[in-house]
Amino acid sequence: MNAPTTPPPVKTEFDVVGTTPIRKDGEEKVTGAALFGDDIHLPGMLHGAMLRSPHPHARIVSIDTSKAAALKGVRTVITGADMPTLSSTVVAAGEGGEVNMQDIADNCIARDKVFYDGHVVAAVAADNKHIAEAACALIEVEYELLEPVLNVHDAVAEGAPVLHEDYTPGAFLFPTQKALPNAGRLFMEHGDVDATFDACDHVVEREFTTKSVHQGYIEPHVTTAVWTGEDTLTIHTSTQGGFAIRDFMASFMNMPMSKIKVVPMEIGGGFGGKDVVYLDSLAAVMAKRTGRPVKIFMSRSEVLRGTGPSPETYIKVKIGCNNEGQLLAADLYLLFEAGAYPGGPIAPGTMCALTRYNIPNVRLDGYDVFLNKPKMKPYRAPGATQANFAAESAIADLAEMAGIDPIQFRLTNALKPGDMMPMGFPCPPLGSIEMLNAIKNHPHYTAPLEGENRGRGISYAFWFGAGLASCAEIRCNTDGTINLTTGSADLSGTRTTLGMQAAEELGVDNDLITTNVGDTDSVGYTFQSVGSRTTFATGIAVISACRKLVEEMKKRAAMEWEVEGSEVDYASGVFTLKSDSSKTLSFGEICGKADHTGGPLIADASEFPEGVGFQIAANIVDVEVDVETGKVDILRYSTLQDVGKAVHPDFVEGQMQGGTVQGIGWALNEEYFYDEKGTLRNPTLLDYRMPTSLDVPNIDCTILETPNPGHPYGVRGVGEVPIVPPPAAIRDAIKNAIGVSLNDLPMKPGNVLKAIWEQKGK
Amino acid sequence: MSKVHVTTTVNGDEVEFLAEPRQSLLEVLRDELKLTGTKEGCNDGNCGACSVVFDGTLVASCCVLGVEADGKKVETVEGMATPDALHPLQQAFLEETGMQCGICTPGFLISSKELLKSKPNPSEEEIRFWLANNLCRCTGYDKIVKAVQKAAAVMEEA
């Protein structure tokens, strides 16, 4: 992670940014016309289905596909043995880490061993989905069962069954090191932690656990592969990043990147779960074998068994302060499930657990633990929600022990701009003090709360966000309208927020701009829509392209006036001759003259922004606990977030509300339930229960704007941090309601009752 | 598997199709009639993305067989707007940002339309109770609830 460099000044007066136009892709979405991944029907298209392992850990002895292949309507059957051999397995990842592409390929379809309940062992393409499913049931697989490893403690214990004889340690955001047979490790320490604890007036030690939760996008994974020539592949898919799919596929298929075109369809939710290949390689191989397009659409139980989730965790926290409430030392031991293969979100979880506070002596010891569950995926601020639940809850308990007001305690210790960060550079502009004061002054926080078994809680959270590569291309038409193409998948309205930034920068009417998500042949490489990066990083690319366009258009105006480009000014859609302000040409007029002034007007930009603005958020929540049943009801909920500059405030509120409700689900009732054999027992949306409209109240939003100097308009990423604070805030509220500490997620009725009985007696 | 000839009415138009008895109404709408506005989220009646009106009753079309549509009337999201104007609910979902990714939106629109038919002026609690049939993972529901309230007000005025 690089230190931010000194940026140019940030714009503060806006015409378009900060308004709330109706989204440009909206009408298609309310009429049903929008084409999502499953809405494509190609001529001659076959439908795929997969056979998945019922065992969490087994060696594949043999697979007999003959009966399946003989079924009428079946066109091909494949197993792991039919997949291409990778020419290069270990590739560089950021910050000096490496990613083993073979792991990701094997996660799509097992070769020798299956590593989790739901691991694909064979796939079929047939005339329709029913035939493909029937054929899967005819495939005979002989397994040699192996002892499964089902929790992090067993996995790191000496003598545990080993999943991988050798492994490339995970490198999600930051590399881990080879440490144990079933775990990579991330260790960081500064100061003298152990000696400082002896000098602390108050020390809290707690153990926390969280359960796996799924990203829960309503659209299952889907892809359609079609070969448009012997060596040219097109993939129509629902993904957070077309280029990522293209590059994975080039590796899996041993093909040049230029020969694969990925067409991103409308995407029905991602939250970190749709940025990797699950189906594309299976569809491509079966399409090649049959000479026909192949679509594969996962069932919901396949989504829950085979994709996602965010890891189950165990986190031990020891943290101490003096009588003045100054944090002096912290020691965190974190076991995060990686699932079947290395590369879970241990690094971001570990690294942002305490970053929002200044603590002079810190030890962070995190493990990326391999066990027989699906390969864990990022989920909205990956790793941060689990780590925040543990660290923020321990800090709440410590403030209580020290007898200090919880907000004052946080104000005393809050990371402020200019404070040295653990990453080795001073904290850039951040509205941390403003946010903590905003909680204190919030009408929700100051309102009385009365009634038995009711309590109010707060929490405070931090997340990094991402910069990374983005491209944008802008093209003017002769009628003065503009087409803007970027490589960023639009999960929630970013076509609109990117178009708004173009309209702002060009000083033209927002309605003149049509924004498009480009396929991988039509625009430059753009990293996935992850890390809250699209409006921020792709926005910077859009603004850069606009600035280049204006320079080119000044030259065109100068041509008309027979002067140099430097003699022309531009503002609010009008080009003016500096020496004679009566001479003007509108943006539209220059567009109309393009053919006579040098050809079509286009500009593009490629950016890799470093100045990521950190995200912070806080929650205030009132709950009522039914002490007979253990059920927790949310009475009132407020969330606060520093967004830098809200490009579209309604969309920003939507991110805040949506993330908060996901965090509430994580806190109160969502969990993966594996039985002792390692079988997922709740792979339906009836049993894996996400919040409904009836479960939650309105989420009140307070938007704070501390400009991020790393973006010309001060924009920070918005999407991820809202999910982080709810579990700790709700735990705090429950504790204040009934005097019982919940240290295990979810805080479902059973766990609440158990805690009441343990801490207060039956 | 031999197919059954089905005659039905979809969004006011009489249509015919051949369906295998095992095909759901959802499948038939999407794959045979190419009305892909109705979405599959779970295929077991728990998410509401495939909501349609079936002879006046709100149903999950994944839990109805295609052959059951014979002689019935089906209403889908494609039938909500006229050529001249969006339905007030569609307009309100746009104005109130009652969507993010949009995959659940057709189901919410159909479900809300049926709510307003029986309760033209629902309270927030009644809206939240009714829409608990439909899962949305993006919005946190507040803006959807507000959109339904706005549409109810617009429709009452009209």
Side-chain angles (χ1 to χ4, degrees):
Chain A
M1 195 170 289
N2 296 318
T5 49
T6 310
V10 168
K11 185 177 164 90
T12 53
E13 300 284 324
F14 299 96
D15 295 317
V16 181
V17 164
T19 64
T20 56
I22 287 177
R23 56 194 286 167
K24 297 172 187 216
D25 58 316
E27 188 163 326
E28 285 193 345
K29 286 183 173 167
V30 296
T31 58
L35 293 177
F36 288 82
D38 192 33
D39 298 338
I40 185 167
H41 291 265
L42 297 177
M45 188 173 79
L46 301 173
H47 296 264
M50 282 83 65
L51 178 69
R52 291 174 183 269
S53 168
H55 307 296
H57 199 189
R59 193 175 306 283
I60 299 170
V61 178
S62 65
I63 304 179
D64 183 350
T65 60
S66 56
K67 285 180 190 158
L71 187 69
K72 190 179 172 214
V74 170
R75 304 296 172 168
T76 190
V77 185
I78 60 167
T79 69
D82 297 310
M83 301 305 285
T85 304
L86 273 58
S87 59
S88 157
T89 55
V90 178
V91 299
E95 308 277 355
E98 292 174 326
V99 167
N100 190 329
M101 298 301 275
Q102 190 68 57
D103 285 351
I104 300 167
D106 291 353
N107 192 39
C108 297
I109 187 164
R111 285 184 303 161
D112 310 319
K113 279 168 83 179
V114 293
F115 287 103
Y116 54 95
D117 166 40
H119 201 161
V120 172
V121 292
V124 175
D127 291 352
N128 67 46
K129 198 160 53 180
H130 299 285
I131 297 170
E133 284 169 1
C136 285
L138 296 173
I139 298 170
E140 289 163 7
V141 185
E142 188 187 336
Y143 296 100
E144 176 198 337
L145 300 191
L146 302 170
E147 189 185 340
V149 186
L150 297 172
N151 73 64
V152 288
H153 302 289
D154 290 349
V156 299
E158 210 164 307
V162 174
L163 267 72
H164 304 283
E165 292 304 322
D166 191 18
Y167 65 88
T168 308
F172 182 77
L173 193 74
F174 198 80
T176 57
Q177 307 300 321
K178 259 187 193 177
L180 299 169
N182 285 332
R185 183 188 193 198
L186 178 71
F187 183 79
M188 295 175 157
E189 186 170 22
H190 61 261
D192 190 341
V193 175
D194 295 321
T196 309
F197 276 125
D198 295 336
C200 288
D201 297 312
H202 309 280
V203 176
V204 154
E205 282 188 80
R206 296 279 183 276
E207 291 175 87
F208 298 92
T209 66
T210 72
K211 289 288 190 181
S212 255
V213 296
H214 197 274
Q215 293 77 354
Y217 29 80
I218 304 300
E219 176 200 41
H221 294 262
V222 55
T223 200
T224 303
V226 54
W227 292 82
T228 44
E230 188 59 24
D231 61 351
T232 314
L233 175 64
T234 299
I235 294 168
H236 304 261
T237 191
S238 164
T239 177
Q240 290 177 246
F243 286 94
I245 301 301
R246 183 197 69 172
D247 294 1
F248 279 125
M249 286 298 288
S251 170
F252 296 166
M253 306 296 291
N254 294 317
M255 287 173 67
M257 291 175 185
S258 60
K259 292 291 186 186
I260 300 172
K261 175 162 88 171
V262 177
V263 182
M265 307 294 287
E266 294 293 343
I267 174 171
F271 313 110
K274 286 186 186 160
D275 64 352
V276 74
V277 166
Y278 290 108
L279 300 173
D280 312 281
S281 53
L282 307 180
V285 167
M286 293 197 291
K288 183 89 172 180
R289 288 164 72 107
T290 57
R292 292 166 66 171
V294 173
K295 182 202 276 185
I296 312 180
F297 180 80
M298 277 193 204
S299 70
R300 177 56 58 177
S301 71
E302 289 185 291
V303 171
L304 289 165
R305 287 171 75 201
T307 75
S310 182
E312 179 170 321
T313 69
Y314 165 84
I315 305 170
K316 190 165 71 178
V317 182
K318 184 177 180 185
I319 190 160
C321 68
N322 61 20
N323 280 329
E324 287 70 49
Q326 190 184 6
L327 287 169
L328 299 177
D331 186 1
L332 263 63
Y333 173 73
L334 311 95
L335 300 176
F336 273 44
E337 292 180 344
Y341 301 96
I346 184 64
T350 302
M351 290 167 71
C352 78
L354 295 167
T355 312
R356 63 202 173 283
Y357 300 113
N358 291 314
I359 311 176
N361 304 283
V362 174
R363 182 188 298 129
L364 300 168
D365 194 7
Y367 291 83
D368 185 44
V369 183
F370 325 142
L371 38 57
N372 294 109
K373 294 184 183 174
K375 176 169 167 42
M376 297 297 154
K377 285 291 295 162
Y379 176 23
R380 203 168 195 158
T385 305
Q386 296 98 323
N388 191 76
F389 171 63
E392 191 72 358
S393 296
I395 280 167
D397 290 357
L398 185 63
E400 186 188 26
M401 182 187 275
I404 296 173
D405 171 79
I407 294 177
Q408 186 52 50
F409 191 89
R410 288 170 172 88
L411 278 166
T412 301
N413 295 291
L415 176 79
K416 298 180 295 299
D419 292 345
M420 190 55 71
M421 300 190 66
M423 289 85 86
F425 56 83
C427 178
L430 190 72
S432 48
I433 301 302
E434 292 85 344
M435 173 161 295
L436 292 165
N437 282 323
I439 304 177
K440 202 158 59 176
N441 301 322
H442 196 288
H444 180 174
Y445 195 69
T446 55
L449 176 64
E450 286 161 4
E452 211 180 343
N453 300 322
R454 292 182 167 192
R456 176 168 296 154
I458 62 161
S459 68
Y460 174 47
F462 174 99
W463 174 246
F464 302 107
L468 305 168
S470 277
C471 289
E473 186 186 308
I474 192 156
R475 301 187 298 274
C476 297
N477 303 307
T478 50
D479 62 359
T481 60
I482 297 160
N483 289 94
L484 171 66
T485 301
T486 77
S488 286
D490 183 353
L491 297 153
S492 57
T494 50
R495 269 166 291 195
T496 304
T497 57
L498 294 170
M500 288 171 74
Q501 292 180 72
E504 183 71 50
E505 191 62 32
L506 295 174
V508 301
D509 190 319
N510 188 46
D511 289 338
L512 292 178
I513 299 173
T514 299
T515 311
N516 174 41
V517 180
D519 64 54
T520 55
D521 277 6
S522 67
V523 67
Y525 179 90
T526 300
F527 201 80
Q528 296 114 306
S529 292
V530 296
S532 308
R533 62 178 299 280
T534 304
T535 299
F536 163 71
T538 306
I540 290 176
V542 167
I543 291 168
S544 292
C546 290
R547 290 177 176 175
K548 286 187 191 171
L549 178 68
V550 166
E551 287 312 303
E552 176 62 24
M553 290 177 85
K554 281 182 181 173
K555 285 184 201 158
R556 305 295 181 95
M559 240 183 251
E560 288 289 307
W561 294 319
E562 298 180 341
V563 296
E564 293 293 311
S566 58
E567 294 299 307
V568 179
D569 268 340
Y570 180 69
S572 302
V574 180
F575 294 86
T576 308
L577 184 60
K578 281 182 185 173
S579 57
D580 178 0
S581 61
S582 70
K583 291 211 165 165
T584 61
L585 282 164
S586 72
F587 186 92
E589 284 171 323
I590 303 279
C591 292
K593 291 174 187 293
D595 284 355
H596 313 294
T597 56
L601 282 160
I602 61 166
D604 56 20
S606 139
E607 294 282 353
F608 197 102
E610 300 281 0
V612 178
F614 297 136
Q615 301 173 38
I616 51 173
N619 282 175
I620 312 166
V621 54
D622 296 349
V623 303
E624 179 172 308
V625 184
D626 183 330
V627 294
E628 298 296 320
T629 64
K631 182 167 188 292
V632 176
D633 280 328
I634 294 180
L635 306 174
R636 184 173 179 184
Y637 213 109
S638 301
T639 183
L640 303 86
Q641 186 175 338
D642 188 346
V643 305
K645 176 67 197 173
V647 175
H648 190 302
D650 281 357
F651 289 7
V652 167
E653 283 187 2
Q655 291 297 315
M656 293 168 71
Q657 293 174 326
T660 301
V661 168
Q662 288 182 322
I664 292 171
W666 201 333
L668 290 181
N669 52 263
E670 288 180 39
E671 67 176 307
Y672 264 43
F673 189 87
Y674 281 94
D675 65 18
E676 69 286 352
K677 290 178 181 154
T679 306
L680 182 64
R681 297 302 297 268
N682 60 337
T684 72
L685 293 182
L686 181 64
D687 298 319
Y688 183 83
R689 195 178 177 289
M690 304 192 290
T692 71
S693 50
L694 195 58
D695 294 319
V696 290
N698 169 36
I699 309 299
D700 181 80
C701 298
T702 300
I703 295 174
L704 304 178
E705 294 185 324
T706 307
N708 166 27
H711 183 285
Y713 304 159
V715 171
R716 291 170 195 273
V718 167
E720 290 170 295
V721 78
I723 198 174
V724 182
I730 293 170
R731 175 194 183 269
D732 194 35
I734 294 172
K735 198 174 90 173
N736 292 330
I738 60 170
V740 169
S741 301
L742 272 292
N743 295 343
D744 303 297
L745 296 187
M747 296 176 279
K748 60 184 177 181
N751 281 356
V752 172
L753 272 189
K754 183 164 163 271
I756 291 173
W757 293 345
E758 280 172 2
Q759 294 172 38
K760 298 180 99 174
K762 277 196 189 184
Chain B
M1 192 174 280
S2 64
K3 293 188 173 181
V4 178
H5 179 260
V6 177
T7 306
T8 187
T9 304
V10 179
N11 300 326
D13 297 331
E14 189 174 293
V15 296
E16 296 172 73
F17 57 83
L18 295 173
E20 293 182 18
R22 63 185 170 188
Q23 283 183 292
S24 69
L25 177 60
L26 171 63
E27 255 188 281
V28 167
L29 288 170
R30 292 182 51 80
D31 297 347
E32 308 301 328
L33 301 178
K34 305 291 187 260
L35 291 171
T36 56
T38 304
K39 304 300 182 190
E40 177 179 332
C42 68
N43 211 28
D44 55 12
N46 284 302
C47 77
C50 69
S51 299
V52 300
V53 181
F54 187 70
D55 247 18
T57 304
L58 181 65
V59 298
S61 62
C62 69
C63 296
V64 175
L65 290 172
V67 294
E68 292 181 81
D70 196 54
K72 301 282 179 24
K73 288 192 172 66
V74 181
E75 297 162 53
T76 73
V77 70
E78 286 92 346
M80 284 184 73
T82 66
D84 302 324
L86 294 175
H87 187 283
L89 275 161
Q90 293 172 315
Q91 188 62 32
F93 270 62
L94 289 179
E95 290 171 3
E96 295 298 310
T97 322
M99 72 175 104
Q100 283 179 35
C101 79
I103 195 83
C104 71
T105 308
F108 270 94
L109 286 166
I110 287 288
S111 189
S112 304
K113 184 169 79 107
E114 289 309 289
L115 168 65
L116 297 186
K117 207 181 275 176
S118 58
K119 276 199 172 63
N121 191 14
S123 67
E124 179 180 343
E125 187 70 9
E126 285 170 331
I127 295 170
R128 286 185 178 274
F129 182 78
W130 183 274
L131 292 181
N133 278 322
N134 295 72
L135 291 174
C136 169
R137 192 59 156 174
C138 295
T139 64
Y141 302 106
D142 177 55
K143 293 188 187 302
I144 293 175
V145 172
K146 290 205 164 65
V148 175
Q149 287 171 321
K150 183 172 196 173
V154 168
M155 288 165 74
E156 196 147 70
E157 270 177 33

